[in-house]
Each structure stands twice: as structure tokens, then as C-alpha cells.
Amino acid sequence: MKVELITYTPDADKLVAAAAKLCYAKSDIDTLMDKLTPEKVESFLKLLGDLGHESPIEHASFTFGIEGVSRTLLAQLTRHRIASFSVQSQRYVDKSGFEYITPPEIAAIPEAKAIYEETMANDAKAYDSLREILIKKHTETFMSDGMTAEAAKKAAEKKANEDARFVLPNSCDTRIIMTMNTRSLYNFFRLRCCNRAQWEIRKLATEMLRLCRSAAPLLFAGAGPACYKGACSEGGMSCGKAKEVRERFKNL
């Protein structure tokens, strides 16, 4: 897995503090940034946290580049609706020789790993065979419609991808660019940094949080799983390790 913070709102901490100042102080736009010292910025962000007033934090957004993750993760990720996603298309991109993600629990058991790798090899072989058959058929059809051989082959390859991709596994790798505002990220981290989250998206969320804290330390100081700054939200399904979790995210 590779995660990069591609770009983010400059001076995100200060921008959010300015939005908070507008809400709670008699300032106009021209003087809004005046006297916003680091101490004042920290004070306004603490005020927002104490009040649970999260709308000002929506003004700061963060864009991540993500690769080496599975389509399984993608299905979970896109449930977070207040975000923008650009995803590598299996329709336009030839996935011959695709890379795949192996769950750690499978990788740890030689017998399970062997079965898994054999399945991935069979899936790759099936994809290539289907694609070859479809390309041949579509090329002939396009040429009979008057296309040149070169144009027909190019169009046939794209059309073949559309149907051959149906045999690709959930473990097939993908690449994503994702943008979220800070409020959406808070929610994402509360849910996905939790020990109860699935291992792959938890790994992603934890790395994203580390990058966010580096870029805007005050803004994300309290971000993390629900139990990091409050009570566990999992009820009877709690992992029971809140103390350990708090320590880990304190030192992230």
C-alpha cells in the first residue's frame, strides 16, 4: 500500500480558526486574519472541539493518492459519500498480469497462501483468455463495419475489457485519488481507525491520519477512532482495548 498526501488547503489550521473567529467574534472579512497568532489559532480550534462545532472545519480539504489497495477496499471507501473519488477504470485499463493484495491471515499460512496464489493465477489466465477471444470477435465485427484493421483492433481491446473484467477478483489492485474535507475525515477516522474496522481500510485510514497530522497538527490532534478522545462506539462489540488504542494514536 502506498498513500501520499498530494495537496491540501494551505494553512488549514489558520483557515479553520478564521472561520471560527467569524462565527464568534465581531470581525469583518478584511480584518478576519488579523492577530491570528499561533496561540489564537490553537484557542479557536480548541473552542470548536469543546463545543462540537464542526461546520468551520469543512473549509479545509485534503487530497490523497492511493495505490496498492484492493477493489474490496474501494467498495468500503466509497460508502463515505461526502468525498470525491477518481478510480482506475477496469473498463479502459488492460489488467493483464494484474497485481493483487493478499490478506495477512492468508499470507501467514503456507497452505492457504498456496491456494490463494493458485486462484489468482487462474483468474489472470481466465481474464487473458476471455480478452483474447473477445478481441478477435470484436475486431472482425468492427472491420466488417468498415473500420481499418488498426482502428478495429484498438476499439476491440477496449470493448473486450468491459466483459473480461467480470472475472477479476476483489483482491485485484486499483489506484485512487480521493479528496475529503476535514469534517468528513474526522468521521472517516472515527470509523476506520477503529480496531473493529477491516484490516486493509484500517491501515489506509491510519496512514492518512498520520499524513494529516503532519500537515495540520492542531486540526487533527484529536482525530482518531471514537475511543481516542471519548467512549468506544462499538457497544457490546468493543475490542476492549481502548487504553492501548489511545496510546497508539497518541504516538502516531
Side-chain angles (χ1 to χ4, degrees):
M1 180 185 294
K2 181 179 179 181
V3 187
E4 291 185 7
L5 181 56
I6 297 175
T7 189
Y8 57 94
T9 302
D11 294 322
D13 289 338
K14 191 171 184 179
L15 173 64
V16 172
K21 181 180 177 182
L22 183 70
C23 294
Y24 298 107
K26 193 176 181 180
S27 299
D28 56 34
I29 299 300
D30 292 335
T31 62
L32 195 58
M33 305 297 278
D34 293 350
K35 298 180 182 178
L36 265 183
T37 63
E39 294 75 22
K40 285 287 187 181
V41 168
E42 185 172 5
S43 176
F44 274 116
L45 294 182
K46 184 178 185 303
L47 175 65
L48 292 178
D50 291 345
L51 295 174
H53 184 188
E54 292 190 340
S55 64
I57 69 177
E58 293 178 15
H59 294 293
S61 64
F62 297 75
T63 298
F64 303 87
I66 302 164
E67 60 183 33
V69 296
S70 70
R71 301 286 290 200
T72 297
L73 180 142
L74 176 64
Q76 299 177 81
L77 195 59
T78 52
R79 291 174 187 163
H80 294 271
R81 296 172 181 84
I82 306 178
S84 300
F85 302 96
S86 296
V87 181
Q88 185 184 66
S89 172
Q90 291 182 344
R91 181 183 179 193
Y92 292 99
V93 177
D94 173 12
K95 295 299 290 183
S96 297
F98 65 85
E99 296 182 4
Y100 57 86
I101 284 70
T102 303
E105 293 291 341
I106 291 178
I109 306 170
E111 181 183 7
K113 184 181 179 183
I115 293 171
Y116 188 82
E117 290 179 345
E118 181 182 3
T119 302
M120 295 301 104
N122 289 336
D123 283 348
K125 184 178 179 181
Y127 175 83
D128 290 344
S129 297
L130 284 171
R131 193 167 176 274
E132 184 179 341
I133 292 168
L134 291 167
I135 288 172
K136 184 175 183 295
K137 184 258 187 184
H138 295 322
T139 300
E140 292 172 353
T141 300
F142 288 138
M143 288 181 67
S144 69
D145 290 339
M147 280 190 181
T148 65
E150 183 179 355
K153 177 75 180 301
K154 186 174 181 180
E157 288 178 347
K158 174 191 166 185
K159 190 169 178 61
N161 290 343
E162 292 183 348
D163 295 325
R165 62 179 169 158
F166 276 75
V167 299
L168 291 172
N170 277 337
S171 64
C172 184
D173 74 304
T174 192
R175 296 177 174 88
I176 306 163
I177 289 180
M178 178 179 70
T179 301
M180 282 186 177
N181 70 45
T182 305
R183 191 176 195 177
S184 293
L185 283 167
Y186 277 19
N187 177 64
F188 179 72
F189 295 143
R190 274 194 293 267
L191 297 173
R192 303 301 188 172
C193 288
C194 174
N195 274 355
R196 292 265 304 142
Q198 184 259 358
W199 67 268
E200 189 179 18
I201 200 167
R202 183 173 68 245
K203 182 179 179 181
L204 171 65
T206 302
E207 179 59 14
M208 286 170 57
L209 176 55
R210 187 187 68 78
L211 293 170
C212 285
R213 283 191 182 172
S214 178
L218 294 176
L219 199 52
F220 288 95
C227 67
Y228 178 54
K229 290 295 182 180
C232 174
S233 59
E234 294 295 306
M237 301 185 79
S238 171
C239 71
K241 299 178 180 180
K243 183 178 179 180
E244 176 186 313
V245 171
R246 289 179 189 129
E247 190 64 24
R248 184 165 75 250
F249 282 90
K250 177 183 177 182
N251 299 309
L252 187 64

